Amino acid sequence: MFIRVFPGMADFIKLIMKTISNQKSIAFTQGKIVSVRSSVVDVRFENNLPPINSLLLTGRNKEIFIEVLSQLDHNRVRCIALTPTQGLARGMVAESQGRELTVPVGKSILGRMFDVFGNTIDQKEPLANMERRNIHQSPPHLTKRSTKSEVYETGIKAIDVLIPLERGGKAGLFGGAGVGKTVLLTEMIRNMIGDNKGVSMFCGIGERCREGHELYHEMKDAGVLKDMVMMFGQMNEPPGARFRVGHAALTMAEYFRDDEQRDVLLLIDNVFRFIQAGMEVSGLMGQMPSRLGYQPTMSTELSKLQERIANTDAGAITSIQAVYVPADDLTDPAAVHTFSHLSASIVLSRKKASEGLYPAIDLLQSNSKMATPTTIGKRHYEIAQQTRQTLAQYEELKDIISMLGLEQLSLQDRNVVNRARRLERFLTQPFIVTEQFSGIPGKEVSLNDALDGCERILADEFKDLPESSFYMIGKIEEAFAKSNERKT
C-alpha cells in the first residue's frame, strides 16, 4: 500500500501525535516502599515499573513527593525525596501517575513567587486552572538557534566597557562569600527590566530565605515585580528539591521565550549550590565520588541545565549566574566546569572589596568572548584594550611602588599610574539597590557615556583633578562637580 505524502504532512502528523500523547489516560501504578535511608527511598513494583524522572506520591495523605532516579532491577526503583521524609515507613504505598514533576506556565505567573513544585509562596491567592509543563525538557535544536551575536547593555560601566554581555548568552559572576554577587545581580534586574521590556526570572538555588524576602520587597518597591517571576529552593529544603529548582525555573522561562516570543533575563543565584545539591544526591545514591568529592556526573548534570539557555529565532534567554568559588580557588572543579559554558566571566575580588572599589570586579581576570572588533565595534574594542593595558601596567608597577615609592618611577610610568588609578575609580558605580545603605544616589550609565569617560581619562584630559573626584560617580562630567564641591 502506498501513501502519498503532502508538503507539511510530517509536521501535521507530529502535532496529532503530540495531542494524543497529552490526552491519553494516565496509568496509575502502585508499589510498596522497601527501604528509607535519609532522602533515598527504594520502592518495589510488581508490574509497570515507572520510568526515570517519574514523580511518585507517598505518605499517609500522599503529601510526600519522590522522584525516580534509577531502576535497580525488574521490580525496584531508587528515588530521591523532594520533600522531607519524616513519617515514611517500610510497607507504605507509593503511587505513580506516569507523570514527571510539572510547573505552571502562562502570563498569570508574572509577579509571583514559587517553590520547586510550582506552588505559590507569596501569601497571595493560589493559581488555578493553569497549564503545566514537565520540568525535564530538551534543549532547542541547533537549527532553531540564532547565529547572531548582539551586545546586552546592563547600565554598569565596568561590565559594559570591559566585559560586554551577549544577548542569549551566559555570564558567570564568580566570587567568594560576601564580595557582592547578590547585590550585582539585583542591580542588573532593576536596570534590565525597564530598558528591554522583557521578563526577568530569578531562580534562588540553596539560598537563604532572608535574601529572597529582601529581593521580593526591593523589586516590589521598585515597581518591576509585575514583569518578574521568582522561584526558590531554599537551603533548608532536601537536596532533591534544590537539584530540580533550576530545571523548573527554566521551564517557566522557556514558555516566555518560545510561546510569548519575549526576551527573558534568567538570574541564577547560585550555580554552585546546584552542583552541591547534585553532589549530595550522588552521595545518597551510593555513587563513587570523583575529584574533591564531587559527583562523577557533574559535567553531564551541568550541561543539561546550561544547554537549555539559548538564543532562538523566537526570543532569547540571557542568563547571569552567580557562582560561589570555594576558598576563592578558581581551579576548583565546580568553577572550571561552569567556565566552559559561559560567554562572559565576571570575577569578583575580595581585595577590590576591601579597598572600597564597588562593584568589586577584578577587571584583568574577567573576560568576555564578545570583546572583538567585529562584534562591539572598533572604537569600543580599542578603548577596552587601552584600559586593560593601562590597568595591567599599573599592576606590574605596584611592587616597585610599595618598595621604592611613586617618586622613583619614570615620568611615563607615573602617568600610567595616574591614568590607571583614575580609571579604577571611574569604573566604580553607586547602585540604586544600595542607596539605603550608602546614602549615595544610584546611577545607571549608558555605554556611550562610559566609553566617553574612559577615552577622556586615557587622553589625560582630567589629570589636574584629584583621584577622589572620580569615585562613585555616573557620567564623567560629574567629576568636575565633585571636585568643585570639595574645594568649597
Side-chain angles (χ1 to χ4, degrees):
M1 183 175 72
F2 296 97
I3 298 174
R4 187 177 178 188
V5 179
F6 298 96
M9 192 173 180
D11 294 333
F12 178 71
I13 292 171
K14 285 180 183 176
L15 181 63
I16 294 293
M17 295 301 292
K18 185 178 179 182
T19 305
I20 293 171
S21 66
N22 287 339
Q23 294 180 349
K24 68 182 180 181
S25 60
I26 301 166
F28 288 80
T29 57
Q30 289 188 341
K32 286 192 176 182
I33 294 175
V34 292
S35 73
V36 181
R37 299 184 307 280
S38 184
S39 293
V40 176
V41 182
D42 288 357
V43 185
R44 180 180 179 83
F45 289 84
E46 296 303 327
N47 50 32
N48 294 337
L49 204 65
I52 303 294
N53 295 332
S54 294
L55 193 65
L56 307 184
L57 279 65
T58 184
R60 298 188 187 281
N61 300 310
K62 299 291 184 286
E63 76 283 6
I64 297 175
F65 295 85
I66 57 178
E67 186 181 79
V68 178
L69 284 192
S70 67
Q71 296 175 340
L72 301 178
D73 52 39
H74 294 293
N75 296 103
R76 289 186 306 146
V77 292
R78 181 159 288 172
C79 313
I80 190 76
L82 305 181
T83 52
T85 55
Q86 284 89 347
L88 274 191
R90 292 174 62 186
M92 278 189 173
V93 173
E95 186 180 275
S96 167
Q97 299 180 348
R99 290 178 177 171
E100 298 177 359
L101 182 61
T102 60
V103 290
V105 295
K107 291 182 180 178
S108 302
I109 68 173
L110 288 171
R112 304 302 299 270
M113 187 188 291
F114 299 90
D115 63 11
V116 69
F117 304 103
N119 302 319
T120 54
I121 54 173
D122 51 9
Q123 298 180 348
K124 293 182 182 178
E125 288 290 322
L127 298 174
N129 302 321
M130 293 288 296
E131 179 191 351
R132 298 182 73 94
R133 292 186 183 173
N134 290 345
I135 68 165
H136 300 284
Q137 301 286 346
S138 300
H141 197 269
L142 283 173
T143 55
K144 294 183 178 180
R145 297 189 182 224
S146 175
T147 55
K148 295 179 183 176
S149 292
E150 300 176 38
V151 174
Y152 206 97
E153 288 190 32
T154 65
I156 298 170
K157 291 181 286 188
I159 294 175
D160 288 343
V161 173
L162 294 173
I163 322 151
L165 305 186
E166 181 184 7
R167 177 180 174 270
K170 296 180 276 285
L173 277 175
F174 292 83
V179 292
K181 297 186 297 298
T182 304
V183 171
L184 197 53
L185 279 183
T186 311
E187 183 72 9
M188 287 182 183
I189 294 171
R190 286 192 57 110
N191 294 353
M192 289 184 178
I193 288 179
D195 297 342
N196 296 281
K197 297 178 181 177
V199 177
S200 182
M201 179 86 215
F202 184 90
C203 175
I205 306 177
E207 290 300 302
R208 303 166 187 85
C209 60
R210 171 187 58 79
E211 293 177 344
H213 183 266
E214 289 175 359
L215 180 67
Y216 179 83
H217 287 286
E218 281 172 5
M219 297 300 105
K220 190 176 180 180
D221 295 341
V224 297
L225 193 61
K226 64 183 186 301
D227 291 315
M228 188 173 180
V229 185
M230 296 186 189
M231 178 170 278
F232 287 93
Q234 297 168 20
M235 61 169 55
N236 66 321
E237 295 184 27
R242 286 182 271 123
F243 191 47
R244 291 303 182 208
V245 70
H247 298 283
L250 262 170
T251 302
M252 290 180 170
E254 285 167 344
Y255 165 81
F256 290 106
R257 180 192 66 190
D258 301 333
D259 293 39
E260 297 280 334
Q261 298 190 351
R262 297 172 71 177
D263 283 357
V264 182
L265 172 65
L266 173 66
L267 300 117
I268 301 177
D269 190 5
N270 161 332
V271 169
F272 176 77
R273 304 292 178 204
F274 168 77
I275 295 171
Q276 196 175 44
M279 180 168 62
E280 291 177 48
V281 170
S282 175
L284 289 167
M285 295 292 288
Q287 295 179 350
M288 184 71 72
S290 182
R291 186 182 164 206
L292 294 183
Y294 287 104
Q295 64 271 38
T297 53
M298 177 172 65
S299 178
T300 307
E301 290 165 1
L302 192 59
S303 298
K304 282 182 181 177
L305 184 77
Q306 299 280 8
E307 287 304 305
R308 289 172 64 181
I309 303 168
N311 184 4
T312 67
D313 298 332
I317 298 178
T318 303
S319 174
I320 300 172
Q321 308 167 12
V323 186
Y324 168 71
V325 181
D328 293 341
D329 179 17
L330 290 173
T331 62
D332 188 88
V336 170
H337 278 83
T338 307
F339 265 124
S340 62
H341 292 279
L342 304 175
S343 55
S345 302
I346 303 169
V347 180
L348 299 181
S349 162
R350 197 172 301 281
K351 185 181 177 185
K352 295 274 185 187
S354 65
E355 293 172 2
L357 300 174
Y358 290 103
I361 299 172
D362 190 323
L363 300 171
L364 296 177
Q365 276 201 312
S366 304
N367 63 77
S368 170
K369 295 176 183 175
M370 297 289 286
T372 60
T374 53
T375 306
I376 60 176
K378 188 177 179 183
R379 176 177 176 253
H380 184 170
Y381 176 76
E382 288 178 352
I383 292 171
Q385 288 298 100
Q386 286 177 33
T387 302
R388 279 186 182 277
Q389 188 177 6
T390 304
L391 293 172
Q393 287 176 319
Y394 175 47
E395 198 66 32
E396 291 173 0
L397 293 168
K398 278 183 178 178
D399 289 339
I400 299 173
I401 296 169
S402 62
M403 288 187 292
L404 303 175
L406 188 65
E407 296 76 17
Q408 300 302 316
L409 297 178
S410 65
L411 181 61
Q412 185 178 359
D413 286 344
R414 264 183 279 174
N415 288 334
V416 168
V417 171
N418 289 333
R419 283 186 214 117
R421 290 179 65 85
R422 282 164 174 75
L423 282 169
E424 274 186 342
R425 280 146 186 78
F426 175 66
L427 292 175
T428 61
Q429 190 167 337
F431 284 169
I432 297 169
V433 297
T434 59
E435 280 183 12
Q436 56 182 322
F437 307 113
S438 64
I440 306 171
K443 302 289 173 67
E444 184 179 350
V445 184
S446 68
L447 175 61
N448 285 332
D449 288 335
L451 288 174
D452 183 54
C454 292
E455 191 174 39
R456 292 168 72 180
I457 290 171
L458 288 166
D460 287 337
E461 191 174 325
F462 304 100
K463 62 181 181 180
D464 295 328
L465 291 182
E467 293 172 2
S468 57
S469 302
F470 300 88
Y471 180 68
M472 287 293 173
I473 61 171
K475 298 179 183 179
I476 193 68
E477 287 77 13
E478 294 175 26
F480 289 112
K482 199 169 183 180
S483 176
N484 291 333
E485 282 177 15
R486 288 183 177 276
K487 287 177 183 177
T488 55

PDB file of all heavy atoms in Angstrom, residues 40-64:
ATOM      1  N   VAL A  40      16.761   8.986  50.430  1.00  0.00           N
ATOM      2  CA  VAL A  40      16.723   7.933  49.409  1.00  0.00           C
ATOM      3  C   VAL A  40      15.663   6.903  49.784  1.00  0.00           C
ATOM      4  O   VAL A  40      15.657   6.374  50.897  1.00  0.00           O
ATOM      5  CB  VAL A  40      18.103   7.253  49.255  1.00  0.00           C
ATOM      6  CG1 VAL A  40      18.021   6.092  48.271  1.00  0.00           C
ATOM      7  CG2 VAL A  40      19.137   8.257  48.804  1.00  0.00           C
ATOM      8  N   VAL A  41      14.771   6.636  48.832  1.00  0.00           N
ATOM      9  CA  VAL A  41      13.663   5.711  49.073  1.00  0.00           C
ATOM     10  C   VAL A  41      13.654   4.655  47.966  1.00  0.00           C
ATOM     11  O   VAL A  41      13.663   5.004  46.779  1.00  0.00           O
ATOM     12  CB  VAL A  41      12.306   6.454  49.093  1.00  0.00           C
ATOM     13  CG1 VAL A  41      11.159   5.487  49.397  1.00  0.00           C
ATOM     14  CG2 VAL A  41      12.327   7.592  50.101  1.00  0.00           C
ATOM     15  N   ASP A  42      13.665   3.376  48.336  1.00  0.00           N
ATOM     16  CA  ASP A  42      13.545   2.273  47.371  1.00  0.00           C
ATOM     17  C   ASP A  42      12.101   1.781  47.369  1.00  0.00           C
ATOM     18  O   ASP A  42      11.508   1.569  48.427  1.00  0.00           O
ATOM     19  CB  ASP A  42      14.479   1.113  47.742  1.00  0.00           C
ATOM     20  CG  ASP A  42      15.939   1.451  47.485  1.00  0.00           C
ATOM     21  OD1 ASP A  42      16.203   2.557  46.981  1.00  0.00           O
ATOM     22  OD2 ASP A  42      16.816   0.631  47.812  1.00  0.00           O
ATOM     23  N   VAL A  43      11.541   1.614  46.157  1.00  0.00           N
ATOM     24  CA  VAL A  43      10.141   1.198  46.011  1.00  0.00           C
ATOM     25  C   VAL A  43      10.079  -0.029  45.110  1.00  0.00           C
ATOM     26  O   VAL A  43      10.760  -0.081  44.074  1.00  0.00           O
ATOM     27  CB  VAL A  43       9.283   2.345  45.418  1.00  0.00           C
ATOM     28  CG1 VAL A  43       7.807   1.948  45.395  1.00  0.00           C
ATOM     29  CG2 VAL A  43       9.466   3.636  46.204  1.00  0.00           C
ATOM     30  N   ARG A  44       9.252  -1.004  45.513  1.00  0.00           N
ATOM     31  CA  ARG A  44       9.084  -2.244  44.730  1.00  0.00           C
ATOM     32  C   ARG A  44       7.737  -2.210  44.020  1.00  0.00           C
ATOM     33  O   ARG A  44       6.700  -1.925  44.621  1.00  0.00           O
ATOM     34  CB  ARG A  44       9.171  -3.466  45.639  1.00  0.00           C
ATOM     35  CG  ARG A  44       9.007  -4.788  44.893  1.00  0.00           C
ATOM     36  CD  ARG A  44       9.102  -5.973  45.840  1.00  0.00           C
ATOM     37  NE  ARG A  44       8.928  -7.234  45.108  1.00  0.00           N
ATOM     38  CZ  ARG A  44       9.891  -7.854  44.452  1.00  0.00           C
ATOM     39  NH1 ARG A  44      11.117  -7.347  44.444  1.00  0.00           N
ATOM     40  NH2 ARG A  44       9.665  -8.984  43.822  1.00  0.00           N
ATOM     41  N   PHE A  45       7.762  -2.491  42.704  1.00  0.00           N
ATOM     42  CA  PHE A  45       6.549  -2.591  41.891  1.00  0.00           C
ATOM     43  C   PHE A  45       6.456  -4.010  41.340  1.00  0.00           C
ATOM     44  O   PHE A  45       7.461  -4.584  40.879  1.00  0.00           O
ATOM     45  CB  PHE A  45       6.594  -1.597  40.719  1.00  0.00           C
ATOM     46  CG  PHE A  45       6.444  -0.155  41.133  1.00  0.00           C
ATOM     47  CD1 PHE A  45       7.545   0.575  41.567  1.00  0.00           C
ATOM     48  CD2 PHE A  45       5.212   0.468  41.097  1.00  0.00           C
ATOM     49  CE1 PHE A  45       7.408   1.901  41.946  1.00  0.00           C
ATOM     50  CE2 PHE A  45       5.062   1.785  41.478  1.00  0.00           C
ATOM     51  CZ  PHE A  45       6.171   2.512  41.909  1.00  0.00           C
ATOM     52  N   GLU A  46       5.255  -4.560  41.349  1.00  0.00           N
ATOM     53  CA  GLU A  46       5.055  -5.897  40.790  1.00  0.00           C
ATOM     54  C   GLU A  46       4.996  -5.868  39.266  1.00  0.00           C
ATOM     55  O   GLU A  46       5.387  -6.812  38.602  1.00  0.00           O
ATOM     56  CB  GLU A  46       3.758  -6.508  41.351  1.00  0.00           C
ATOM     57  CG  GLU A  46       3.794  -6.746  42.855  1.00  0.00           C
ATOM     58  CD  GLU A  46       4.944  -7.648  43.280  1.00  0.00           C
ATOM     59  OE1 GLU A  46       5.322  -8.560  42.502  1.00  0.00           O
ATOM     60  OE2 GLU A  46       5.487  -7.442  44.384  1.00  0.00           O
ATOM     61  N   ASN A  47       4.490  -4.768  38.719  1.00  0.00           N
ATOM     62  CA  ASN A  47       4.449  -4.616  37.256  1.00  0.00           C
ATOM     63  C   ASN A  47       4.464  -3.128  36.920  1.00  0.00           C
ATOM     64  O   ASN A  47       4.338  -2.269  37.794  1.00  0.00           O
ATOM     65  CB  ASN A  47       3.198  -5.285  36.660  1.00  0.00           C
ATOM     66  CG  ASN A  47       1.936  -4.863  37.390  1.00  0.00           C
ATOM     67  OD1 ASN A  47       1.839  -3.745  37.880  1.00  0.00           O
ATOM     68  ND2 ASN A  47       0.977  -5.773  37.477  1.00  0.00           N
ATOM     69  N   ASN A  48       4.609  -2.798  35.635  1.00  0.00           N
ATOM     70  CA  ASN A  48       4.637  -1.409  35.159  1.00  0.00           C
ATOM     71  C   ASN A  48       5.630  -0.551  35.956  1.00  0.00           C
ATOM     72  O   ASN A  48       5.251   0.394  36.647  1.00  0.00           O
ATOM     73  CB  ASN A  48       3.245  -0.772  35.248  1.00  0.00           C
ATOM     74  CG  ASN A  48       2.257  -1.422  34.308  1.00  0.00           C
ATOM     75  OD1 ASN A  48       2.645  -2.031  33.313  1.00  0.00           O
ATOM     76  ND2 ASN A  48       0.979  -1.307  34.618  1.00  0.00           N
ATOM     77  N   LEU A  49       6.905  -0.897  35.839  1.00  0.00           N
ATOM     78  CA  LEU A  49       7.947  -0.136  36.530  1.00  0.00           C
ATOM     79  C   LEU A  49       7.964   1.306  36.003  1.00  0.00           C
ATOM     80  O   LEU A  49       8.031   1.519  34.793  1.00  0.00           O
ATOM     81  CB  LEU A  49       9.306  -0.805  36.290  1.00  0.00           C
ATOM     82  CG  LEU A  49      10.402  -0.544  37.317  1.00  0.00           C
ATOM     83  CD1 LEU A  49      10.027  -1.117  38.666  1.00  0.00           C
ATOM     84  CD2 LEU A  49      11.720  -1.134  36.840  1.00  0.00           C
ATOM     85  N   PRO A  50       7.849   2.319  36.870  1.00  0.00           N
ATOM     86  CA  PRO A  50       7.799   3.711  36.381  1.00  0.00           C
ATOM     87  C   PRO A  50       9.128   4.128  35.745  1.00  0.00           C
ATOM     88  O   PRO A  50      10.200   3.708  36.199  1.00  0.00           O
ATOM     89  CB  PRO A  50       7.507   4.522  37.639  1.00  0.00           C
ATOM     90  CG  PRO A  50       7.944   3.675  38.773  1.00  0.00           C
ATOM     91  CD  PRO A  50       7.753   2.256  38.338  1.00  0.00           C
ATOM     92  N   PRO A  51       9.087   4.959  34.706  1.00  0.00           N
ATOM     93  CA  PRO A  51      10.324   5.394  34.042  1.00  0.00           C
ATOM     94  C   PRO A  51      11.133   6.367  34.892  1.00  0.00           C
ATOM     95  O   PRO A  51      10.642   6.904  35.891  1.00  0.00           O
ATOM     96  CB  PRO A  51       9.813   6.070  32.759  1.00  0.00           C
ATOM     97  CG  PRO A  51       8.410   6.468  33.058  1.00  0.00           C
ATOM     98  CD  PRO A  51       7.888   5.476  34.044  1.00  0.00           C
ATOM     99  N   ILE A  52      12.391   6.617  34.460  1.00  0.00           N
ATOM    100  CA  ILE A  52      13.268   7.576  35.138  1.00  0.00           C
ATOM    101  C   ILE A  52      12.621   8.964  35.114  1.00  0.00           C
ATOM    102  O   ILE A  52      11.981   9.344  34.140  1.00  0.00           O
ATOM    103  CB  ILE A  52      14.652   7.626  34.448  1.00  0.00           C
ATOM    104  CG1 ILE A  52      15.307   6.243  34.405  1.00  0.00           C
ATOM    105  CG2 ILE A  52      15.572   8.622  35.140  1.00  0.00           C
ATOM    106  CD1 ILE A  52      15.671   5.682  35.746  1.00  0.00           C
ATOM    107  N   ASN A  53      12.799   9.717  36.180  1.00  0.00           N
ATOM    108  CA  ASN A  53      12.259  11.068  36.376  1.00  0.00           C
ATOM    109  C   ASN A  53      10.765  11.097  36.678  1.00  0.00           C
ATOM    110  O   ASN A  53      10.177  12.180  36.779  1.00  0.00           O
ATOM    111  CB  ASN A  53      12.549  11.996  35.174  1.00  0.00           C
ATOM    112  CG  ASN A  53      14.019  12.261  34.987  1.00  0.00           C
ATOM    113  OD1 ASN A  53      14.795  12.232  35.946  1.00  0.00           O
ATOM    114  ND2 ASN A  53      14.431  12.501  33.747  1.00  0.00           N
ATOM    115  N   SER A  54      10.120   9.918  36.805  1.00  0.00           N
ATOM    116  CA  SER A  54       8.705   9.902  37.183  1.00  0.00           C
ATOM    117  C   SER A  54       8.551  10.393  38.617  1.00  0.00           C
ATOM    118  O   SER A  54       9.423  10.200  39.463  1.00  0.00           O
ATOM    119  CB  SER A  54       8.134   8.490  37.085  1.00  0.00           C
ATOM    120  OG  SER A  54       8.118   8.056  35.755  1.00  0.00           O
ATOM    121  N   LEU A  55       7.396  11.009  38.890  1.00  0.00           N
ATOM    122  CA  LEU A  55       7.092  11.510  40.227  1.00  0.00           C
ATOM    123  C   LEU A  55       6.187  10.504  40.936  1.00  0.00           C
ATOM    124  O   LEU A  55       5.175  10.072  40.379  1.00  0.00           O
ATOM    125  CB  LEU A  55       6.390  12.869  40.125  1.00  0.00           C
ATOM    126  CG  LEU A  55       6.269  13.679  41.414  1.00  0.00           C
ATOM    127  CD1 LEU A  55       7.649  14.101  41.911  1.00  0.00           C
ATOM    128  CD2 LEU A  55       5.397  14.905  41.191  1.00  0.00           C
ATOM    129  N   LEU A  56       6.572  10.116  42.148  1.00  0.00           N
ATOM    130  CA  LEU A  56       5.761   9.208  42.949  1.00  0.00           C
ATOM    131  C   LEU A  56       5.219   9.955  44.159  1.00  0.00           C
ATOM    132  O   LEU A  56       5.904  10.809  44.727  1.00  0.00           O
ATOM    133  CB  LEU A  56       6.590   8.006  43.421  1.00  0.00           C
ATOM    134  CG  LEU A  56       7.353   7.195  42.372  1.00  0.00           C
ATOM    135  CD1 LEU A  56       8.031   6.003  43.034  1.00  0.00           C
ATOM    136  CD2 LEU A  56       6.447   6.730  41.247  1.00  0.00           C
ATOM    137  N   LEU A  57       3.988   9.625  44.551  1.00  0.00           N
ATOM    138  CA  LEU A  57       3.353  10.223  45.722  1.00  0.00           C
ATOM    139  C   LEU A  57       3.228   9.169  46.809  1.00  0.00           C
ATOM    140  O   LEU A  57       2.768   8.055  46.550  1.00  0.00           O
ATOM    141  CB  LEU A  57       1.954  10.757  45.380  1.00  0.00           C
ATOM    142  CG  LEU A  57       1.871  12.126  44.707  1.00  0.00           C
ATOM    143  CD1 LEU A  57       2.495  12.097  43.323  1.00  0.00           C
ATOM    144  CD2 LEU A  57       0.418  12.589  44.600  1.00  0.00           C
ATOM    145  N   THR A  58       3.660   9.511  48.017  1.00  0.00           N
ATOM    146  CA  THR A  58       3.585   8.550  49.114  1.00  0.00           C
ATOM    147  C   THR A  58       3.293   9.301  50.420  1.00  0.00           C
ATOM    148  O   THR A  58       3.029  10.492  50.418  1.00  0.00           O
ATOM    149  CB  THR A  58       4.894   7.741  49.217  1.00  0.00           C
ATOM    150  OG1 THR A  58       4.763   6.757  50.232  1.00  0.00           O
ATOM    151  CG2 THR A  58       6.085   8.635  49.511  1.00  0.00           C
ATOM    152  N   GLY A  59       3.316   8.603  51.521  1.00  0.00           N
ATOM    153  CA  GLY A  59       2.937   9.190  52.804  1.00  0.00           C
ATOM    154  C   GLY A  59       1.481   8.865  53.125  1.00  0.00           C
ATOM    155  O   GLY A  59       0.741   8.326  52.296  1.00  0.00           O
ATOM    156  N   ARG A  60       1.057   9.199  54.318  1.00  0.00           N
ATOM    157  CA  ARG A  60      -0.302   8.860  54.735  1.00  0.00           C
ATOM    158  C   ARG A  60      -1.364   9.605  53.921  1.00  0.00           C
ATOM    159  O   ARG A  60      -2.431   9.084  53.635  1.00  0.00           O
ATOM    160  CB  ARG A  60      -0.478   9.183  56.222  1.00  0.00           C
ATOM    161  CG  ARG A  60       0.441   8.378  57.122  1.00  0.00           C
ATOM    162  CD  ARG A  60       0.133   8.554  58.582  1.00  0.00           C
ATOM    163  NE  ARG A  60       1.132   7.896  59.421  1.00  0.00           N
ATOM    164  CZ  ARG A  60       1.150   6.597  59.665  1.00  0.00           C
ATOM    165  NH1 ARG A  60       0.246   5.804  59.121  1.00  0.00           N
ATOM    166  NH2 ARG A  60       2.087   6.076  60.442  1.00  0.00           N
ATOM    167  N   ASN A  61      -1.065  10.856  53.553  1.00  0.00           N
ATOM    168  CA  ASN A  61      -2.024  11.657  52.781  1.00  0.00           C
ATOM    169  C   ASN A  61      -1.470  12.023  51.408  1.00  0.00           C
ATOM    170  O   ASN A  61      -1.886  13.023  50.812  1.00  0.00           O
ATOM    171  CB  ASN A  61      -2.381  12.929  53.551  1.00  0.00           C
ATOM    172  CG  ASN A  61      -3.004  12.625  54.894  1.00  0.00           C
ATOM    173  OD1 ASN A  61      -3.943  11.836  54.972  1.00  0.00           O
ATOM    174  ND2 ASN A  61      -2.472  13.242  55.946  1.00  0.00           N
ATOM    175  N   LYS A  62      -0.526  11.210  50.921  1.00  0.00           N
ATOM    176  CA  LYS A  62       0.122  11.460  49.621  1.00  0.00           C
ATOM    177  C   LYS A  62       0.760  12.847  49.581  1.00  0.00           C
ATOM    178  O   LYS A  62       0.709  13.553  48.582  1.00  0.00           O
ATOM    179  CB  LYS A  62      -0.893  11.316  48.463  1.00  0.00           C
ATOM    180  CG  LYS A  62      -1.507   9.935  48.352  1.00  0.00           C
ATOM    181  CD  LYS A  62      -0.460   8.918  47.905  1.00  0.00           C
ATOM    182  CE  LYS A  62      -1.063   7.532  47.682  1.00  0.00           C
ATOM    183  NZ  LYS A  62      -1.379   6.850  48.949  1.00  0.00           N
ATOM    184  N   GLU A  63       1.351  13.248  50.723  1.00  0.00           N
ATOM    185  CA  GLU A  63       1.932  14.579  50.824  1.00  0.00           C
ATOM    186  C   GLU A  63       3.441  14.577  50.588  1.00  0.00           C
ATOM    187  O   GLU A  63       4.068  15.642  50.533  1.00  0.00           O
ATOM    188  CB  GLU A  63       1.632  15.182  52.204  1.00  0.00           C
ATOM    189  CG  GLU A  63       2.468  14.647  53.376  1.00  0.00           C
ATOM    190  CD  GLU A  63       2.037  13.279  53.882  1.00  0.00           C
ATOM    191  OE1 GLU A  63       1.143  12.665  53.262  1.00  0.00           O
ATOM    192  OE2 GLU A  63       2.595  12.819  54.893  1.00  0.00           O
ATOM    193  N   ILE A  64       4.050  13.391  50.427  1.00  0.00           N
ATOM    194  CA  ILE A  64       5.498  13.288  50.228  1.00  0.00           C
ATOM    195  C   ILE A  64       5.758  12.947  48.761  1.00  0.00           C
ATOM    196  O   ILE A  64       5.202  11.993  48.216  1.00  0.00           O
ATOM    197  CB  ILE A  64       6.106  12.216  51.156  1.00  0.00           C
ATOM    198  CG1 ILE A  64       5.904  12.636  52.621  1.00  0.00           C
ATOM    199  CG2 ILE A  64       7.585  12.022  50.860  1.00  0.00           C
ATOM    200  CD1 ILE A  64       6.349  11.597  53.627  1.00  0.00           C
TER     201      ILE A  64
END
